[in-house]
Amino acid sequence: MAVLARPTAAPSRVTARSGTAPRVSRVRDVRARAAHGHGHGHGAAVGEQKGFVEEMRRVAMSLHTREQAPREGGKRADASKAETRPVATWTPTGEGYLNFLTESLAVYEAMETIVETDASGVYGKFKDNGLERSDALRKDIEYIERRFGLSKRDASGAGREYAETLKALAKTSPPEFICHYYNVYFAHSAGGRMIGRKVSELILDGKELEFYEWKKNGGLEASLTRVRNLLNETAEQWTREEKDRCLEETGKSFQLSGQLLRLIA
């Protein structure tokens, strides 16, 4: 725990709805290059990756700025959006960080409840995979409240909005829900950790929160590999149209995640 327009391309269904998702033509361009890509999550390359997850990763990387991803970033930084500026220029506060953690909890609780209670067989396979963040976030929220003398609050903004979006997509469009599932968890394991370290240096005297630690199921790398394989297996059952629908939702995922990051930037 945020996109490029081609003059002749018609907007996808997602683009028309959100105004930020990549156009179908761009998704297909990135897809065509995916076989040559490598890396995990939205982070540094660690070896060749295959399957649909690599397509998802390449589309996500194309929506990063060059500052965020020098090798693969395809966007210009927007100075009006604090979350796209270098993290070193952010000015986090205890109040803002608590708001970020609280709103993030709503997002992770929504996804993890969907997985835990799934009766369709679509999402249940992702249960207890090691990437879950809700328990860690609850502990960190209590810590931040104590450290800064802040009162408990409920999610009422960007996180609540994102959670409602996820609940709706889980019912109506599994490929689009899976897009958000991938981007939220994998981005947090890469860029999210870097953000967490920087914020910790600035306002927590270097203390690392549990949100940025993965202690279950063999640790982070084992959990990422496990979920990556599950995502690839899931996508093997989709048509090409469903896969493209998943990829086209990436911009919406960045938009909603960006609204969360704005709380601490």
Side-chain angles (χ1 to χ4, degrees), residues 10-213:
S12 68
R13 177 172 61 85
V14 177
T15 303
R17 183 180 67 215
S18 69
T20 58
R23 294 178 183 270
V24 174
S25 57
R26 178 170 180 80
V27 168
R28 288 172 178 165
D29 287 346
V30 175
R31 191 181 80 209
R33 300 193 301 269
H36 305 289
H38 53 276
H40 73 82
H42 300 165
V46 295
E48 184 178 0
Q49 301 295 329
K50 297 180 180 179
F52 185 65
V53 168
E54 176 58 14
E55 295 187 38
M56 298 170 75
R57 191 193 73 83
R58 290 299 293 261
V59 172
M61 292 305 297
S62 75
L63 299 184
H64 286 70
T65 66
R66 285 292 181 183
E67 289 78 9
Q68 294 168 330
R71 290 181 57 193
E72 298 177 273
K75 282 184 58 184
R76 289 181 178 273
D78 184 347
S80 68
K81 295 182 178 179
E83 71 275 13
T84 67
R85 298 199 307 263
V87 179
T89 68
W90 292 12
T91 54
T93 64
E95 182 86 21
Y97 203 30
L98 178 59
N99 288 336
F100 166 72
L101 295 174
T102 300
E103 298 292 336
S104 294
L105 176 59
V107 175
Y108 285 97
E109 282 185 331
M111 288 191 292
E112 288 158 23
T113 298
I114 288 165
V115 167
E116 287 281 340
T117 60
D118 176 53
S120 68
V122 176
Y123 311 120
K125 67 184 74 173
F126 293 96
K127 183 178 178 180
D128 297 327
N129 60 58
L131 295 183
E132 294 85 1
R133 298 288 84 199
S134 293
D135 288 344
L137 274 166
R138 293 186 191 100
K139 295 176 183 177
D140 290 340
I141 287 169
E142 291 181 0
Y143 168 76
I144 295 296
E145 289 170 351
R146 292 195 305 271
R147 181 174 181 124
F148 293 97
L150 298 170
S151 59
K152 186 175 181 61
R153 65 213 50 199
D154 295 322
S156 60
R160 182 175 179 180
E161 175 192 348
Y162 202 168
E164 293 304 314
T165 297
L166 291 167
K167 292 173 187 177
L169 288 177
K171 295 177 181 178
T172 61
S173 180
E176 290 175 270
F177 172 81
I178 289 295
C179 172
H180 290 270
Y181 188 91
Y182 163 77
N183 278 289
V184 169
Y185 283 104
F186 278 62
H188 179 63
S189 75
R193 296 166 70 193
M194 181 270 292
I195 291 170
R197 284 194 296 270
K198 188 61 181 178
V199 173
S200 176
E201 291 171 5
L202 291 171
I203 66 172
L204 299 178
D205 299 320
K207 176 180 173 58
E208 184 171 24
L209 298 185
E210 295 201 26
F211 189 31
Y212 306 100
E213 296 180 343

